[in-house]
Amino acid sequence: MMHPNQFDGSAAFSGGGFMPSQATQAPDPSPFSSSRNSDARCLIPVTVKQLKDLSRNCESGISIDGVDVNTVVLVGIVCKIDNAITDCTFRVDDGTGWIECTKWVHEHIDSAEVEAISVGKYVRVYGQLKSIQGRKTLNTFSIRYYSFSSVSYVFEFSLNF
Amino acid sequence: MDTSDPAAFVNGGLLHMHVGQKVRAVIQVIRSDVGSVVGKSTDDIQIIVKGSPPIPRTNYIEVIGVAVNDNSIRAEIWTNFGDTFDAYNYDQLCQLANGWFKHLFL
């Protein structure tokens, strides 16, 4: 026999009033479900350290905290440039590491973008992460000079993501 | 890709955590001496940066180099950051990059 002050848990939860049944449970509303995000195109601010530590999701490729990584943006200093006729390969160092980026030159606007960058300048790079035989590089869509006062905003944005 | 040589975001108060290591900091220049610059970090601590600043230089400079001791850096790279700069925002970044989000930077 229960003491008057004892809590009878089985009686308290037997009605199931606040516990929805499996049949009526709503689907997961999280926008970051990797299985529903496989075709989404997100622009994700990252650091090179983050890219190095990326996990490989067998279903959808590379991901950060369950979000598929497709297009990324990072800010750093150009530390090396190799110009060829059809492409420009350069290294960007954001302080956490460096990554090789490739910008393919098809049109005048591409060559103008490439000619404007130089070693030692802060740039903002948009690109798609490529991993070939374990080596990660950035297939660059756009590279721009970056205003110094905004450098810290970009890094903080990558923290908030 | 290589992350073996990172430069930690530091202010004056965090410099002691990275003595002998590569660091980066933004300073507001107080005065230039021969072979060094005396500046104020984003948390208002006076630090000495050894080396030669760019010419011309702006009021705010980012330096990347090795932390010599608690209040000085031997700079290898100097970058003009302009005459106006959000020092508070950068200081918050330094706190986060050395604290809760350290794994994203170092």
Side-chain angles (χ1 to χ4, degrees):
Chain A
M1 185 176 176
M2 287 188 65
H3 191 279
N5 289 335
Q6 275 188 317
F7 174 70
D8 186 354
S10 59
F13 292 105
S14 60
F18 295 104
M19 303 296 289
S21 66
Q22 290 281 347
T24 57
Q25 197 163 20
D28 180 7
S30 166
F32 300 122
S33 165
S34 59
S35 63
R36 297 183 343 139
N37 207 32
S38 57
D39 294 327
R41 295 292 183 258
C42 303
L43 177 63
I44 304 175
V46 293
T47 63
V48 174
K49 176 70 165 48
Q50 271 181 294
L51 294 179
K52 181 177 184 291
D53 294 340
L54 283 177
S55 61
R56 178 158 286 277
N57 180 313
C58 295
E59 290 181 2
S60 56
I62 305 167
S63 65
I64 293 177
D65 294 335
V67 179
D68 290 346
V69 174
N70 190 275
T71 306
V72 299
V73 55
L74 61 88
V75 169
I77 298 175
V78 177
C79 51
K80 189 181 175 186
I81 301 177
D82 285 320
N83 264 313
I85 297 173
T86 58
D87 67 88
C88 174
T89 302
F90 52 98
R91 274 189 197 173
V92 175
D93 186 335
D94 70 348
T96 71
W98 59 260
I99 185 169
E100 236 174 47
C101 308
T102 301
K103 171 73 177 165
W104 295 97
V105 179
H106 300 295
E107 301 171 356
H108 173 70
I109 190 172
D110 299 322
S111 54
E113 219 172 78
V114 161
E115 284 165 13
I117 64 171
S118 56
V119 173
K121 298 296 184 187
Y122 261 103
V123 293
R124 177 175 49 185
V125 181
Y126 296 89
Q128 191 174 43
L129 189 66
K130 296 292 183 189
S131 186
I132 302 173
Q133 295 179 339
R135 185 168 151 260
K136 294 190 180 91
T137 62
L138 211 59
N139 185 18
T140 305
F141 305 144
S142 169
I143 175 167
R144 298 273 191 275
Y145 276 122
Y146 206 71
S147 71
F148 303 122
S149 61
S150 304
V151 163
S152 43
Y153 282 107
V154 171
F155 280 108
E156 288 200 351
F157 187 57
S158 69
L159 304 181
N160 288 327
F161 179 77
Chain B
M1 176 188 288
D2 182 11
T3 56
S4 62
D5 189 27
F9 283 88
V10 297
N11 54 23
L14 295 167
L15 197 53
H16 74 277
M17 292 171 56
H18 301 281
V19 173
Q21 298 171 355
K22 196 172 172 185
V23 296
R24 65 197 301 167
V26 172
I27 61 165
Q28 183 179 12
V29 178
I30 296 174
R31 68 175 185 275
S32 291
D33 294 330
V34 176
S36 68
V37 166
V38 178
K40 187 172 64 168
S41 63
T42 53
D43 56 345
D44 287 336
I45 293 175
Q46 188 165 298
I47 64 173
I48 299 166
V49 182
K50 298 176 183 178
S52 301
I55 298 172
R57 65 156 178 81
T58 57
N59 195 21
Y60 289 90
I61 302 178
E62 184 195 48
V63 295
I64 301 174
V66 177
V68 176
N69 54 40
D70 291 359
N71 67 346
S72 71
I73 299 172
R74 187 177 65 246
E76 294 160 8
I77 300 172
W78 302 71
T79 306
N80 279 326
F81 261 34
D83 293 322
T84 58
F85 185 75
D86 191 340
Y88 174 77
N89 189 48
Y90 189 91
D91 196 65
Q92 292 295 298
L93 171 63
C94 291
Q95 305 283 352
L96 294 169
N98 283 277
W100 193 255
F101 294 101
K102 191 174 182 177
H103 62 285
L104 300 182
F105 292 86
L106 302 173

